[in-house]
Amino acid sequence: MLSTLRGKRKRNPEDIEIPSVSGLKLGALNIQGQQESMPELALILDSGMSLPKPKWLDILGTVETFQSKDGGNDYSAVKCYEFLGKPSNDPDNRKGVGFWVKKKIIKRVSILEPEYENEHTMWLRVLSTKGTLYLALAYAPYGNVEAAKEVFKAMKLNTLDLQTSGTVVWMGDLNARLPAETGDTAKTK
């Protein structure tokens, strides 16, 4: 999933030091084991593989990441982005979440510790002179409806708190059909 937050006026696509949150290019990717996929991730982010051009995304949210609890992962293959991640509490270490943030905007970005914490979510705050953007990244383990409900509950409560002071964007892989929580009533085959 890729998304662009568009401003009201046209901006130069090469100008990434825009003092507003509009114009940011966001993406989400289920990476299923980041350590083994680092060269491919470097191709996507730095070289623009499957994207319009190199370094096109400003922020990429990744779920099902592998981040060792000791922080010993080698991210040196990715040159133009910094990883802000949250290790999973799951013993198989494949249920983490994290954001890849372009180094040119990293000073405007901070990890947010929301009031309603959930081990399967992570929040970022992107500051600018024109507004604040809150990014929520979530992963609900496959087949675990209760975990998915807890993820949605935490995200909804945090959104209610944060939406009064900025724009809130959700992204991730929720692996669940929860009509009561999401309003999703579509039938699956």
Side-chain angles (χ1 to χ4, degrees):
M1 172 190 91
L2 300 176
S3 177
T4 302
L5 298 175
R6 300 177 198 271
K8 292 182 181 176
R9 58 189 161 107
K10 206 168 195 176
R11 298 187 189 273
N12 179 354
E14 298 300 318
D15 182 12
I16 61 164
E17 295 297 328
I18 299 169
S20 99
V21 295
S22 63
L24 284 178
K25 294 173 195 78
L26 309 174
L29 181 64
N30 181 322
I31 200 153
Q32 296 181 344
Q34 187 168 353
Q35 192 64 20
E36 294 85 355
S37 304
M38 292 308 292
E40 183 178 357
L41 189 59
L43 284 171
I44 292 169
L45 290 171
D46 293 335
S47 302
M49 182 179 79
S50 300
L51 296 173
K53 64 182 184 175
K55 298 175 268 192
W56 187 73
L57 288 172
D58 294 307
I59 299 174
L60 175 67
T62 55
V63 297
E64 278 198 76
T65 59
F66 173 85
Q67 182 179 359
S68 59
K69 291 187 188 290
D70 66 2
N73 289 7
D74 179 16
Y75 299 129
S76 64
V78 181
K79 304 291 184 203
C80 300
Y81 293 78
E82 188 170 318
F83 184 70
L84 304 174
K86 181 177 177 180
S88 171
N89 291 329
D90 195 290
D92 70 11
N93 274 339
R94 301 247 183 248
K95 294 180 177 69
V97 295
F99 290 96
W100 288 92
V101 180
K102 193 179 283 184
K103 287 183 179 179
K104 290 187 176 183
I105 65 166
I106 195 73
K107 290 180 182 178
R108 296 180 8 200
V109 177
S110 60
I111 296 172
L112 178 66
E113 295 183 16
E115 184 175 347
Y116 304 97
E117 188 63 37
N118 182 283
E119 70 176 299
H120 301 292
T121 63
M122 183 173 175
W123 290 77
L124 288 186
R125 178 189 300 121
V126 183
L127 298 175
S128 76
T129 58
K130 306 262 180 169
T132 303
L133 174 67
Y134 299 102
L135 295 177
L137 180 63
Y139 173 72
Y142 181 75
N144 189 338
V145 173
E146 289 308 311
K149 285 182 179 182
E150 289 302 313
V151 166
F152 271 104
K153 179 180 175 184
M155 290 187 50
K156 280 182 170 182
L157 291 171
N158 288 321
T159 297
L160 288 173
D161 283 347
L162 297 171
Q163 68 187 359
T164 60
S165 61
T167 302
V168 178
V169 175
W170 290 12
M171 60 174 71
D173 184 353
L174 299 171
N175 279 323
R177 292 278 175 161
L178 303 169
E181 286 78 8
T182 66
D184 182 1
T185 58
K187 302 287 183 196
T188 58
K189 294 181 181 182

